[in-house]
Amino acid sequence: MPIPLHRYVAALHGRSALPFVITQRHAQRTEEAGVETFSEQVDYRFEDGVVLRYELELDDLGAAQEGVCGECWVRYAVVDTPQGVSVTPASKVFSNLCQAGFWLRMMQE
């Protein structure tokens, strides 16, 4: 039986007690044509051997205004699983953090 992706994502946000460790983290800020961009990639290894990659990219144009969720790119992707373990869906992409948070809340209800 496949394990739902949201189970792992919930752990990253403190909504589950599923143990994990950070195995790789890379973050950078760049500026081009006056636009500052922040990107981050973090790999998490869970106790059952699943490796989940979190990627985020946002720029200052996507900065949140009051009452508006700023545009950015968020991706959760399974990059490794032990034999016999299946996670579904294997990846999920969002266009802002509000959308990602809403998806997680809906999946946990």
Side-chain angles (χ1 to χ4, degrees), residues 62-72 95-99:
Q65 300 171 11
E66 191 171 332
V68 177
C69 195
E71 184 178 352
C72 65
S95 59
N96 62 56
L97 293 171
C98 297
Q99 187 183 47

Side-chain angles (χ1 to χ4, degrees), residues 50-67:
V50 169
V51 177
L52 182 68
R53 177 167 291 156
Y54 166 75
E55 296 172 277
L56 170 70
E57 185 174 309
L58 59 101
D59 58 59
D60 59 1
L61 295 176
Q65 300 171 11
E66 191 171 332

Side-chain angles (χ1 to χ4, degrees), residues 37-104:
T37 300
F38 172 77
S39 61
E40 178 178 45
Q41 178 178 301
V42 185
D43 288 352
Y44 300 89
R45 179 173 295 280
F46 288 85
E47 192 173 65
D48 63 1
V50 169
V51 177
L52 182 68
R53 177 167 291 156
Y54 166 75
E55 296 172 277
L56 170 70
E57 185 174 309
L58 59 101
D59 58 59
D60 59 1
L61 295 176
Q65 300 171 11
E66 191 171 332
V68 177
C69 195
E71 184 178 352
C72 65
W73 183 78
V74 180
R75 180 174 180 241
Y76 297 98
V78 176
V79 294
D80 194 19
T81 58
Q83 188 171 8
V85 174
S86 173
V87 180
T88 186
S91 69
K92 193 80 176 157
V93 177
F94 302 97
S95 59
N96 62 56
L97 293 171
C98 297
Q99 187 183 47
F102 179 77
W103 170 78
L104 184 57

